[in-house]
Amino acid sequence: MIFGPIEHNASLANLNESTKALWDIVTAPSDVVPNTDVPAFVDVRDVAEAHVKAVENDKAHGRYLLSSSSYTWQEVIDIVRKNFPEHKIAPLGKPGQYHPTFKLDHTKAQTELGIHFTPLEKTVTDTFTQLFALQSKSA
């Protein structure tokens, strides 16, 4: 999944698919946290940086795995609860209980392109700063 701040004129009614998935998980009317269908993510800003660096670097070749790490929806919910305590976050789930899925090797992107991937907490916090602002605007 590609997550991160939105650069287009968005409202909560017209979010892109991955941002809508984030919003829906955090505002779900259930206390059950679903399984994470695609448990790997990358920040959209890292994808943009990788594209630019691949074009500018004559030695760049082949394919690059652009993924910061694996994640779970429970981690996302816990990050939002921690960083935005003033907002009502519907699902509680089982805080702090993450089931590791797999490890990703993005060494090639890091070494050949010089990419330093954005951690999940920063990606989620930056995204929800925007989403909660959109929610306030639409209220």
Side-chain angles (χ1 to χ4, degrees), residues 50 53 63-67 105-117:
K53 287 186 173 189
R63 295 175 183 243
Y64 294 90
L65 174 63
L66 299 178
S67 188
D105 183 3
H106 45 235
T107 306
K108 182 179 176 184
Q110 288 178 309
T111 56
E112 291 183 16
L113 300 178
I115 300 294
H116 299 283
F117 290 100

Side-chain angles (χ1 to χ4, degrees), residues 22-35:
L22 282 173
W23 183 250
D24 288 350
I25 289 295
V26 169
T27 60
S30 167
D31 199 38
V32 177
V33 177
N35 290 330

Side-chain angles (χ1 to χ4, degrees), residues 20 28 33 38 41 43 67 71-73 85 101 114 122 137:
K20 184 175 180 343
V33 177
V38 182
F41 92 98
D43 190 294
S67 188
Y71 76 100
T72 66
W73 287 128
T101 52
K122 176 161 180 46
K137 258 172 83 171

Side-chain angles (χ1 to χ4, degrees), residues 7-101:
E7 287 297 324
H8 61 282
N9 287 335
S11 71
L12 294 178
N14 71 351
L15 297 172
N16 62 50
E17 288 300 313
S18 57
T19 306
K20 184 175 180 343
L22 282 173
W23 183 250
D24 288 350
I25 289 295
V26 169
T27 60
S30 167
D31 199 38
V32 177
V33 177
N35 290 330
T36 311
D37 293 333
V38 182
F41 92 98
V42 64
D43 190 294
V44 67
R45 297 166 290 194
D46 298 337
V47 174
E49 179 185 7
H51 279 86
V52 169
K53 287 186 173 189
V55 169
E56 294 176 346
N57 182 348
D58 292 337
K59 294 180 183 177
H61 66 283
R63 295 175 183 243
Y64 294 90
L65 174 63
L66 299 178
S67 188
S68 179
S69 67
S70 59
Y71 76 100
T72 66
W73 287 128
Q74 184 67 58
E75 287 176 272
V76 170
I77 289 166
D78 290 353
I79 289 167
V80 175
R81 280 187 185 284
K82 177 180 121 185
N83 290 288
F84 303 95
E86 68 279 13
H87 291 279
K88 182 177 186 284
I89 310 304
L92 178 60
K94 297 177 180 174
Q97 293 187 22
Y98 316 131
H99 303 287
T101 52

